[in-house]
Amino acid sequence: MSNFIDLKDLSKDQLLDLISLSIKWKKNPSPKFMNDKQVVLIFEKPSLRTRVSFEIGINQLGGKSYILNDKEMQLGQRETIEDTARVLERYADLIVIRCFGHSQLTKFASISSIPVINALTDFSHPCQVVADLVTIKENFGNYESLKVAWFGDCNNVLQSWIEASALLNIKFYIACPKNISPDKKTLSWAQDRNKNIIVTQDAYEAARGANCIITDTWNSMGDTNPLSENNFMPYQVNDKIIKLAEENVIFMHCLPAYRNKEVTPEVIESANSVVFDEAENRLHAQKAIMHFCFN
């Protein structure tokens, strides 16, 4: 059994296998390899796509799910993380955690004798990026010749995208304001493996010739010191940005999206937008990730 905490913990082949299995099970029914499996989902943060895709995926695979939300528990609050992990491993076969503190998640995983999945922390969001990679594979068939460009905040989704780009050798541009930056340790780790991971303040440089353009909300859930939206306006994905990209460019956003902020309505509603395919792929990616954990 394996935990699924961050993409950098995987090999290139493991990540490619997750993508391939997601696509396979999107086209054909997945086997019910989770018959008699019990899954506890700890969700300190609100969720639509992550929660529903996991619950439906678990049901489709033959398992049963049990939700603990922020009103019922927060890791390390009422009792220690150690005690929580040791209790839940006696009941369940898999734990899915969506929480604020990444260190809480990793601590839980280090103690638990059953697999733990990172369904989002303030640091990373690997489940989302597996679904993103599935969406790109469906549209282009490969990653080797593509340019992917990220616009806006340096958040948890970007963290996982940097790790994926390093593993798959994707040409990846990050366009962000000068007063924010990706995690330095991760960026150094990634650029040692892939010299084509570029951070720039020039949105047009990032957009020029891009095959895939990605953005996210400018201030993430739980931000205690959000940056002014004025800092992000040069990184709004609009028609000017899209016109600099390749003609067959796809636009992605993990949702929820705030129109006329990080993206204009014209872009997110355009033929280039694959945001709802991307959202659907969360279901198939989650099932492949659970298979990885049990095998």
Side-chain angles (χ1 to χ4, degrees):
M1 297 186 293
S2 299
N3 295 322
F4 183 80
I5 305 299
D6 280 307
L7 296 183
K8 68 177 183 293
D9 302 328
L10 306 180
S11 68
K12 177 181 179 178
D13 286 343
Q14 286 175 320
L15 180 54
L16 289 173
D17 285 346
L18 281 175
I19 296 162
S20 296
L21 191 58
S22 302
I23 293 171
K24 177 182 177 181
W25 285 347
K26 184 175 182 178
K27 295 176 180 177
N28 302 291
S30 51
K32 293 185 179 295
F33 63 85
M34 285 178 63
N35 279 331
D36 301 321
K37 299 292 186 185
Q38 315 297 319
V39 183
V40 172
L41 298 99
I42 300 172
F43 273 56
E44 293 182 356
K45 287 188 171 188
S47 173
L48 172 62
R49 281 152 293 279
T50 303
R51 175 174 171 172
V52 174
S53 58
F54 262 114
E55 286 203 89
I56 289 177
I58 291 162
N59 293 338
Q60 288 180 352
L61 296 173
K64 293 185 178 179
S65 60
Y66 306 88
I67 291 281
L68 295 171
N69 62 34
D70 63 323
K71 294 181 176 61
E72 294 164 317
M73 74 165 296
Q74 289 185 322
L75 291 175
Q77 293 293 318
R78 196 164 63 87
E79 58 183 306
T80 68
I81 291 173
E82 292 89 341
D83 287 356
T84 303
R86 288 167 182 155
V87 168
L88 292 179
E89 70 184 13
R90 303 295 181 101
Y91 301 148
D93 301 287
L94 174 68
I95 306 291
V96 178
I97 299 178
R98 181 181 175 96
C99 66
F100 290 92
H102 196 73
S103 61
Q104 294 172 302
L105 172 74
T106 55
K107 185 175 184 179
F108 191 107
S110 71
I111 295 160
S112 176
S113 63
I114 61 174
V116 175
I117 293 176
N118 174 7
L120 177 145
T121 68
D122 284 352
F123 181 70
S124 62
H125 197 357
C127 292
Q128 176 63 55
V129 173
V130 174
D132 290 356
L133 292 165
V134 168
T135 308
I136 291 175
K137 179 80 170 179
E138 287 178 321
N139 281 272
F140 297 106
N142 68 82
Y143 306 103
E144 290 78 11
S145 59
L146 301 181
K147 177 181 178 180
V148 177
W150 172 277
F151 291 80
D153 193 18
C154 294
N155 63 8
N156 47 9
V157 181
L158 175 62
Q159 168 72 21
S160 294
W161 251 110
I162 292 170
E163 295 175 9
S165 298
L167 290 173
L168 300 181
N169 200 34
I170 295 171
K171 184 185 290 185
F172 188 58
Y173 276 68
I174 303 162
C176 60
K178 64 180 179 180
N179 43 352
I180 64 168
S181 61
D183 179 76
K184 291 180 180 178
K185 185 176 179 181
T186 300
L187 191 60
S188 176
W189 171 88
Q191 289 176 330
D192 282 345
R193 290 157 178 78
N194 178 2
K195 302 301 182 185
N196 288 317
I197 299 175
I198 309 297
V199 181
T200 178
Q201 295 167 33
D202 186 342
Y204 293 161
E205 178 191 8
R208 198 168 290 113
N211 304 98
C212 175
I213 286 176
I214 314 172
T215 192
D216 199 354
T217 55
W218 284 340
N219 291 300
S220 299
M221 186 189 313
D223 274 357
T224 56
N225 189 25
L227 207 60
S228 166
E229 291 181 355
N230 291 333
N231 289 275
F232 291 114
M233 277 308 297
Y235 305 96
Q236 181 188 72
V237 179
N238 51 38
D239 284 340
K240 289 181 180 178
I241 294 295
I242 294 297
K243 286 176 180 176
L244 288 170
E246 291 293 302
E247 186 176 353
N248 65 341
V249 66
I250 60 172
F251 169 75
M252 298 203 303
H253 189 307
C254 68
L255 302 177
Y258 297 92
R259 289 157 174 80
N260 288 317
K261 291 190 177 183
E262 71 269 13
V263 61
T264 60
E266 293 77 19
V267 170
I268 198 170
E269 302 294 345
S270 72
N272 301 95
S273 174
V274 294
V275 296
F276 298 110
D277 294 336
E278 181 187 2
E280 178 190 348
N281 286 335
R282 291 296 302 278
L283 170 63
H284 312 296
Q286 252 83 284
K287 290 196 287 186
I289 289 165
M290 288 187 281
H291 182 270
F292 167 82
C293 289
F294 284 120
N295 291 276

